[in-house]
Amino acid sequence: MESIFLQQTVNAILLGAIYALFALGYALVFSVLGVLNLAHSAIFMWGAFIGLLAVEQWQLPPLLALLLGALGGGLLSVLLEFIAFRPLRRRNAARISQLISSIGASILLVNIAQLLFQQIYNRTEAYYPLDLVLFPGMSTETIVLDDIGLRIQPIRIVILVIALVTMVLLQYMVTRTQIGQHMRAVAFSERIASLLGIPVSRIFVLTFFLAGIFGGMAGMLYGVAFRKVDPFIGENVALVGLTAIVLGGMGSIQGAVLGGFIVAALQTISIAAGGSSYSNAIVFVLLFVVLLVRPQGLLGQPENTRA
Amino acid sequence: MNLLIDALIQVLRPIGITEPVFQFMLVSAILGLSVYLTLYTGMLSLANAGFMAIGAYVSVVLTTQFDVPLGIAMLIAMTVCALVAIPIGLPTLRLKDIYLAIATIGFGEVIRIIALNFDKMVESILELFSNGERVRFELLNGARGIKNVPQLTETWMLIIFLIVAVFLIIRLHHSRFGRAMSAVRQDERAASNLGINVVYVKNMVFILSAILAGAAGAFNGHLTRIIVPNAFDFAKTVDILAYAVLGGTSTWLGPIVGGMVLTALPEILRFSSQYRGVVTGAILLGTILFLPGGLVNPKGLQQVWRRYVKREPALTAAEEDPVDA
Amino acid sequence: MALLEVENLQTNYGAIKALRGISFMVEEGQVVTLIGANGAGKSTTINTITGLLKPVSGSVRFMGQDITGWRADRVTKLRLIQVPEGRQLIANMSVMENLTIGTHIRRGEKIDEDLANIFTRFPRLNERRTQKAGLLSGGEQQMLAVGRALMMRPRLLMLDEPSMGLAPLLVNEVFQIIAEIKAQGIPILLVEQNARKALQIADYVYVLDRGQIVNQGTAEELRSDPAILSAYLG
Amino acid sequence: QDDATDEAMDEVQMGAWETCETPDNLPEEINLGVIYSLSGPISVYGGPQQQAVQLALEEINGSAYLGEGTTLTAIFEDSAGDAEQAINAMTKLVEEDGVVAVLGPTLSTEAFSADPIAQENGTPVMGTSNTAIGITDMGDFVFRDSLPEASVIPGTIAQSVEILGLERVGVLYGDDDDFTLSGYDVFIEALDENGIEIVGEETFSREDVDFSAQLTNLLNNDPDALIVSALSAEAVQIIIQARDLGFEGAIIGGNGFNSPDTIEQTGEASEGVIVGAAWNVASTNPYSEAYETAYEEAYGNAPDQFATQAYTGAWLFATAIRCANSAERSDIRDALAAITDLETPLGTFSFSETRDPIHDPVVQIVQDGAFAVLGAEDMEESE
Amino acid sequence: MLKLQDVSRRFGGLQALSDVTITVPDGRVVGLIGPNGAGKTTLINVISGLDHPTSGTIHFDGMSIQKMPPHKVTRLGIARTYQNIHLFGEMTTRENLMVAQHKRGTSSILSSIFYTPAFRRETHQFEAEADALLDQFRLQDVAEAPAESLPYGDQRRLEMARAFATEPRLLLLDEPTAGMNPTETRALGDQILMLMQSHHDLSVLVIEHDMSLIHQVCDEVYVLNFGKIIAHGTPAEIRDNPIVVEAYLGKEDSELI
Ligand SMILES: Nc1ncnc2c1ncn2[C@@H]1O[C@H](COP(=O)(O)OP(=O)(O)OP(=O)(O)O)[C@@H](O)[C@H]1O
Ligand SMILES: Nc1ncnc2c1ncn2[C@@H]1O[C@H](COP(=O)(O)OP(=O)(O)OP(=O)(O)O)[C@@H](O)[C@H]1O
Ligand SMILES: [Mg+2]
Ligand SMILES: [Mg+2]
């Protein structure tokens, strides 16, 4: 009983790391734009896809592939800013139309990926090689700690570390650096930011680039961890990611990470308690309760406005 | 009426709109109206897929298990939706924007999961009272769905329902309640200080929206011959939102047009075979970029006219974003 | 060559013609005031100069450079600083952050010194330095807006109704600050409803009405103009 | 020499289908409607199905199977895994395009929505991956060549129990999908019949990728074997993760395990995996081998079961048309219903009274990185 | 009559109001002045129900209202304007007024759906009233323009007109003349006086920094500083009160007036 508890805890933490990494990029764009970028999950998928092509078709070393996946995600994300968001902002369109344009972009990206999969693999799924090691010297053997009854795959630990490091770096950047301050100013109001001499357009591009990097990286790591990649893997995490950032508090970096871990923990707990059919329902019920008590999410800030 | 519909279908057939497609377009139009009501009141509620599921399941169980006529089954389904909307809306509608959106998406997901596990849940409850004997209970059949649902929905019913709904919404807009809806959207605090019971307005609208979604679900359930929980998932929610926003939310006509266009689009685009998805995405993106206010948006069309046809210089007003809005 | 030269500026909001071709200038070291009724186009003028709005025609030259149609952040980098109407603070940042956020456009030295100056002038801000700007009272917000602009060391400061919503004591304070800024040789373009005080401090005055300049002159000239007296001085 | 084997293969292949005289009464072009999920997540299954049908049609037309001058053309429609689109596609094919028969749709759910349209219009329709109960009850024009789980799983369980001596098993299944849920029901029934103790049941959802929590739960009860009702997309993950968690017993699955990926993508982890299915890549039936070679040659990867059933479905329709010597929908239906003991890649194939398929399923186990008939060794030993 | 007894409001560590006791008698215009951040807006917020006091009681005509939601407070006859304009920007001027008539409407949704005579009568009556208000507040010219496109001064007047359209017996005005020039300010003062004349039991609580307006319209004035009432009296008394001069007016202004 003790060992199963320990194993489930580890399961939850490792799953949470992936959710968290994905949610980070989501949260970043939302906090700066105030817009949900529903195409973020497509970026995630493209990160996994590019990484796959890199190791599988171009035979590049996996670390380089990770870099390419992240970079590809970043560039695609910037592209999204140019084609799906900027034109609408320029015309002062309602935020909700930006949401819809991101859906359009997402459909486009997923379908392009599907065509490419078909071209390259003759079907719409493909796998990362079985014995892929992320960096030289890394083991693919499951780590077995028999005396406490624990088994962990090394790759998941790597993902956990990457997620945590990324979170700390991002948090530092946003709260401690000038760029971060400028991002928050733009997030609050482009108009005010521009009156403070902040190059608004450049900040947007940067934000999208960073978010894309996180999305792409998360996708690539997800691919490495679970190996199967298809044009639709983004849909698996889209709702989870959304739940995570809302639960944690929109616009809060730690919130996104915390949310990711909580969602994973809840899913795991409900499965461990014998409720695998209800695990997602339980997640949403908790979300519901949290929002009723703290409408701004766990780490979110209350609205700073007055009558 | 039927003659008219037939004639209309004859005209539309060459572009790929057959009668079933037309029926689904009408259902989408109702869904569009459902989300329009909440958006018009400033609530980004995405519970529509959930209420659609409730409407579909309740009405289908009634017509298939209890031989209730469709009309009455629909009324009951709509009532159930309204009753469910009350306890959901009261706590949830205090939330704003994306928080409301995700909480209501959560509602939809929970409904879907309940539908998936309903039989199992009832079974285990019944087992509590039966001395541990294994009980079989089959009503919703989980993922297998309810099969062989009679196709009771007729095109004319959908058209009449839509006309009545539009009529009521127009009248609603002209009532003081309609003005209150708009006021709540634009400035909740000011509205409450003018004597508008914001909680009441929001909840009423949420209920109305739930009723419309429930009706759409009931119609839809009696069109597809089978209902399964996964038909009412997150993707459906996103679709419904897209109906309203792509169509434009400044008038009731927008969501109707949006729902119909978005539903017809994949059928019209069948000729593009494997490029269908890409083309759909590109059209959606292109439309919203050109017409950010949606397809039906008088102001936006004027702007586009000025900008692209008359080639006047672009508008110059920068975004107003006061500190305390 | 004047510091700021505005020539025949025309700006529209859609079909509404808010500016119908106005021309004026601000010389080094001057305080120039724009007065005019509500909706005359004063804010529109300032916003067009800073690049928040694009003019339909006309030109804006600053320090000899044609900046017509530049984006606001580029204009601001020239340290042509606007204190916008309605304060426009970053509500979710602290007072302190609001004060320092614009300082990236100047060189780093003496920021602390300037900050100390601001705090002596507005002790209220010092007390609230960690509070979120959005929760400040109206007057506190106005002080913060002026403070923020000063922290950017403007070459030309454009103030859009800086005394709006301030207690009499603070109105005096603000005008005193304006006088001090003027004394430091920083030129100011001031938009004011409080014409009495504005005329006291101004070197030159333009009167705006429905998007056009209908009168102009030195402060003394206008103070003795009976039409102005009755319309703006009450 | 290669050519020679190719030819020999062709012979085997073509020989199988030539049950009736070459027809002489057919129009130049016969349109066959095909509805598969070609976009969206289900396209993983729909895509190969489409390719298999294309392959079949090339062979059919290339060999003038329907007589010189007659071509069988497929009109492919995408249903995107969506019941509404399936209805729309079926309406278009049956009412607008006037096809003589329809293959598909991919999902049972789609079939329940769309097949009645074919039935109403007297157009034969054949499911090639619908395994739910009640599909063919929709009417006498509704066929399927996909063996329902109920015809496969009981045998799988009985054999596994006998050979491996199972006593306690854990069950893992997808509960939001008709296919996996039907599989689960049949598994449970079969386990019951064999008196096997179920030490745990866990569920997952379509497209899940992490099954560690469920598996940890199940393995905690020390089962002899894991019974899995999943689609191939999840099967690979489940096998790998179960082994990662230290499970060494048998993993028994249905259709879902029955894909080339099961071995390719799980490597050593697949040792001891038992697959009971309508058809398997490793099938030694000569018709199946010939088909498989042709498929691999055309598309570069091995077919899965659904593709094979789609391929067979296209051939079955062609055979019905040939035997009916008519392109009339009702004639085709009658000829189809009359098919008995036809040699196909699925084995010796007949339609039952209820238009369901009758042929032998296969139960195989992964040994030394390859599928082998379950119990083959024991049988050899005992001989 | 409005009566506040020992009203306090804390925001975390900040005591925005402490033990404020004031009375606004019927038919009187009461001024509320004080330095920026003194708590004036907070006071109006707790009266109008947008915010609630941490302690103390508020009575309006003997009814305790300190816990009431805003719409109920309004229905009792208390209306307000905002320091930062809060109009319904997408609605026209006239529609803004019609929203304010909401609470007086008796027509049900059903009657409007069926367009009953009662509904039509009510609509006509409201339209006529709206026209009268447009006249009274000099907004006829912009009646059909969207509120967001109005010049600032017009917006301020519209806010007041809108508050007045709820037919209040107590009107709370938060800096109604901010951004107006002296001429406009005086006109607004006249407007308030006119309202007082035509509505006998109307009372007004007005926050202002413009002392000329205070002198023009107020019967009595409270002075708030750091959340406390530091002075109360007629405008003239206040002007000469040294504490007020020190905390609020400054030398120059008291001399000027
Ligand atoms: N966003 C806008 N959309 C449409 N019209 C506008 C907008 N902003 C201002 N206007 C119009 O432009 C004209 C000039 O407005 P502006 O704000 O420049 O006046 P102002 O002189 O600053 O007045 P105030 O003293 O009230 O601030 C007014 O008629 C106003 O109605
Ligand atoms: N929601 C809030 N949270 C925290 N502090 C607040 C909040 N609302 C007001 N305050 C603080 O309470 C004090 C009083 O604010 P209030 O707005 O009532 O001042 P005021 O008298 O209206 O000033 P002004 O004349 O400048 O408008 C201020 O210091 C303000 O920062
Ligand atoms: Mg202005
Ligand atoms: Mg105030």
Side-chain angles (χ1 to χ4, degrees), chain C residues 96-169:
Chain C
M96 199 57 185
E97 271 190 296
N98 266 287
L99 283 173
T100 53
I101 187 162
T103 52
H104 67 104
I105 65 163
R106 53 182 272 198
R107 266 171 290 128
E109 68 229 35
K110 294 200 183 152
I111 287 183
D112 291 340
E113 209 173 286
D114 287 1
L115 206 55
N117 274 335
I118 302 272
F119 282 146
T120 24
R121 192 163 285 138
F122 303 115
R124 194 85 205 174
L125 291 184
N126 200 11
E127 288 162 31
R128 307 247 88 89
R129 59 202 292 172
T130 56
Q131 178 159 328
K132 302 279 183 229
L135 297 177
L136 296 175
S137 83
E140 290 164 348
Q141 291 189 2
Q142 187 66 68
M143 297 179 221
L144 182 51
V146 173
R148 184 178 67 184
L150 288 179
M151 287 299 293
M152 293 163 80
R153 289 249 165 133
R155 287 213 181 96
L156 170 62
L157 186 62
M158 302 198 289
L159 299 161
D160 196 349
E161 304 203 29
S163 73
M164 192 203 287
L166 289 190
L169 206 60

Side-chain angles (χ1 to χ4, degrees), chain D residues 13-362:
Chain D
Q13 208 171 330
M14 297 316 307
W17 307 106
E18 283 172 6
T19 47
C20 300
E21 294 295 306
T22 311
D24 52 13
N25 192 26
L26 296 177
E28 271 179 23
E29 189 167 312
I30 302 175
N31 284 331
L32 179 66
V34 186
I35 305 175
Y36 286 132
S37 292
L38 302 176
S39 60
I42 310 296
S43 63
V44 175
Y45 312 107
Q49 288 184 311
Q50 182 188 30
Q51 294 179 337
V53 171
Q54 271 162 345
L55 176 66
L57 290 186
E58 273 161 34
E59 291 172 357
I60 290 162
N61 293 326
S63 64
Y65 180 68
L66 297 178
E68 290 300 335
T70 296
T71 12
L72 184 62
T73 325
I75 303 179
F76 289 101
E77 293 298 344
D78 173 22
S79 57
D82 175 42
E84 293 180 15
Q85 287 210 25
I87 291 178
N88 298 339
M90 185 68 87
T91 311
K92 172 181 180 289
L93 289 173
V94 171
E95 292 180 5
E96 307 291 304
D97 301 337
V99 297
V100 299
V102 179
L103 275 176
T106 304
L107 296 177
S108 295
T109 322
E110 298 171 322
F112 281 115
S113 293
D115 288 2
I117 296 167
Q119 175 68 29
E120 281 160 22
N121 284 276
T123 309
V125 55
M126 192 194 312
T128 61
S129 45
N130 310 145
T131 56
I133 302 164
I135 289 280
T136 50
D137 295 346
M138 280 185 283
D140 57 348
F141 279 84
V142 183
F143 294 74
R144 64 171 149 193
D145 70 354
S146 41
L147 215 50
E149 300 290 77
S151 318
V152 181
I153 286 170
T156 314
I157 293 293
Q159 279 190 47
S160 311
V161 170
E162 195 187 310
I163 294 167
L164 305 176
L166 306 177
E167 287 175 3
R168 305 152 49 77
V169 298
V171 180
L172 179 61
Y173 66 104
D175 70 346
D176 65 345
D177 181 88
D178 192 324
F179 187 85
T180 53
L181 202 54
S182 304
Y184 161 78
D185 284 344
V186 183
F187 267 126
I188 293 293
E189 215 166 283
L191 289 170
D192 248 14
E193 261 163 36
N194 287 281
I196 309 293
E197 185 192 350
I198 297 171
V199 297
E201 287 187 18
E202 295 290 336
T203 63
F204 59 85
S205 310
R206 211 188 258 171
E207 296 273 304
D208 272 0
V209 289
D210 190 353
F211 306 90
S212 326
Q214 288 94 326
L215 288 167
T216 305
N217 261 9
L218 289 175
L219 299 185
N220 192 43
N221 295 321
D222 258 334
D224 301 330
L226 282 180
I227 308 285
V228 180
S229 179
L231 283 162
S232 65
E234 293 95 32
V236 169
Q237 293 306 324
I238 292 174
I239 294 170
I240 290 186
Q241 289 171 19
R243 297 294 187 227
D244 276 340
L245 287 168
F247 181 65
E248 282 161 8
I251 304 178
I252 303 172
N255 263 326
F257 279 20
N258 186 30
S259 115
D261 292 341
T262 312
I263 294 181
E264 259 173 54
Q265 300 303 338
T266 56
E268 285 170 20
S270 66
E271 283 300 303
V273 166
I274 296 176
V275 183
W279 174 87
N280 182 284
V281 242
S283 167
T284 49
N285 158 2
Y287 307 105
S288 170
E289 283 180 344
Y291 147 74
E292 226 192 287
T293 321
Y295 187 98
E296 284 215 44
E297 214 164 82
Y299 303 116
N301 41 30
D304 61 16
Q305 172 188 326
F306 296 148
T308 310
Q309 288 168 342
Y311 171 87
T312 309
W315 269 105
L316 287 172
F317 267 138
T319 305
I321 294 169
R322 180 178 161 113
C323 291
N325 195 11
S326 156
E328 287 302 312
R329 290 166 170 179
S330 56
D331 295 340
I332 296 174
R333 190 221 85 92
D334 293 342
L336 196 61
I339 284 179
T340 37
D341 295 331
L342 189 69
E343 294 301 331
T344 74
L346 298 174
T348 312
F349 185 99
S350 309
F351 275 114
S352 72
E353 290 276 282
T354 57
R355 301 164 304 284
D356 280 319
I358 304 174
H359 67 86
D360 291 331
V362 284

Side-chain angles (χ1 to χ4, degrees), chain B residues 1 5 19-31 33 70 74 152-166 215-223 260:
Chain B
M1 180 102 193
I5 296 169
E19 181 145 12
V21 179
F22 190 58
Q23 290 171 331
F24 292 127
M25 285 162 64
L26 291 167
V27 171
S28 302
I30 299 173
L31 287 170
L33 282 183
L70 179 63
M74 277 195 56
L152 300 176
T153 305
E154 305 269 356
T155 311
W156 61 265
M157 299 179 191
L158 287 163
I159 292 180
I160 288 183
F161 186 92
L162 195 61
I163 290 175
V164 172
V166 165
F219 279 130
N220 198 57
H222 291 90
L223 276 177
M260 296 185 89

Side-chain angles (χ1 to χ4, degrees), chain A:
Chain A
M1 194 58 225
E2 200 169 286
S3 77
I4 182 176
F5 177 75
L6 200 62
Q7 181 71 50
Q8 292 291 28
T9 310
V10 170
N11 290 344
I13 291 176
L14 299 177
L15 184 63
I18 290 179
Y19 289 172
L21 198 57
F22 173 74
L24 269 183
Y26 231 144
L28 193 63
V29 169
F30 183 85
S31 59
V32 174
L33 255 77
V35 171
L36 268 190
N37 175 12
L38 286 187
H40 188 61
S41 49
I43 300 287
F44 171 89
M45 176 271 294
W46 271 90
F49 186 27
I50 293 172
L52 175 75
L53 290 178
V55 289
E56 218 259 343
Q57 298 284 313
W58 311 325
Q59 306 284 334
L60 298 177
L63 265 190
L64 195 60
L66 178 64
L67 209 69
L68 275 183
L71 211 67
L75 292 178
L76 268 179
S77 184
V78 169
L79 191 71
L80 276 185
E81 148 73 354
F82 282 113
I83 64 168
F85 291 98
R86 178 165 298 188
L88 285 174
R89 264 201 325 271
R90 284 271 151 87
R91 309 174 62 174
N92 296 322
R95 293 202 162 154
I96 193 153
S97 28
Q98 300 188 37
L99 183 83
I100 300 298
S101 81
S102 80
I103 294 173
S106 171
I107 297 177
L108 204 60
L109 284 176
V110 168
N111 279 285
I112 291 174
Q114 179 163 5
L115 286 177
L116 283 178
F117 264 88
Q118 205 70 51
Q119 279 286 312
I120 298 169
Y121 296 103
N122 230 315
R123 53 189 212 158
T124 49
E125 61 180 3
Y127 289 84
Y128 273 87
L130 243 179
D131 44 7
L132 186 79
V133 288
L134 208 46
F135 47 87
M138 192 186 115
S139 152
T140 54
E141 288 289 308
T142 307
I143 301 170
V144 182
L145 303 169
D146 257 339
D147 29 334
I148 53 169
L150 203 59
R151 291 166 156 269
I152 308 171
Q153 287 166 279
I155 180 70
R156 294 195 169 196
I157 296 178
V158 174
I159 292 171
L160 179 66
V161 171
I162 290 180
L164 294 179
V165 169
T166 310
M167 181 205 100
V168 172
L169 284 181
L170 189 63
Q171 177 69 20
Y172 176 82
M173 196 194 90
V174 170
T175 53
R176 293 289 139 82
T177 66
Q178 195 181 56
I179 291 268
Q181 199 189 27
H182 288 184
M183 282 165 86
R184 281 182 294 135
V186 172
F188 183 76
S189 157
E190 286 171 56
R191 180 190 170 93
I192 299 177
S194 69
L195 286 181
L196 293 167
I198 297 169
V200 176
S201 298
R202 238 177 295 159
I203 294 286
F204 275 128
V205 170
L206 180 74
T207 308
F208 271 96
F209 187 64
L210 279 176
I213 285 199
F214 296 136
M217 194 153 74
M220 158 81 188
L221 289 173
Y222 178 97
V224 173
F226 300 117
R227 301 201 27 247
K228 195 192 79 170
V229 180
D230 65 43
F232 316 102
I233 52 170
E235 291 168 19
N236 305 350
V237 284
L239 195 50
V240 168
L242 202 56
T243 314
I245 51 178
V246 170
L247 185 66
M250 301 290 304
S252 153
I253 303 289
Q254 299 116 307
V257 174
L258 181 70
F261 281 106
I262 291 181
V263 170
L266 269 180
Q267 287 181 339
T268 308
I269 290 169
S270 45
I271 292 170
S276 46
S277 298
Y278 304 99
S279 63
N280 279 325
I282 289 167
V283 169
F284 282 112
V285 170
L286 176 100
L287 177 80
F288 213 74
V289 173
V290 168
L291 288 184
L292 294 186
V293 183
R294 268 187 79 81
Q296 71 274 32
L298 290 172
L299 302 184
Q301 302 231 346
E303 263 184 292
N304 289 312
T305 58
R306 336 174 14 198

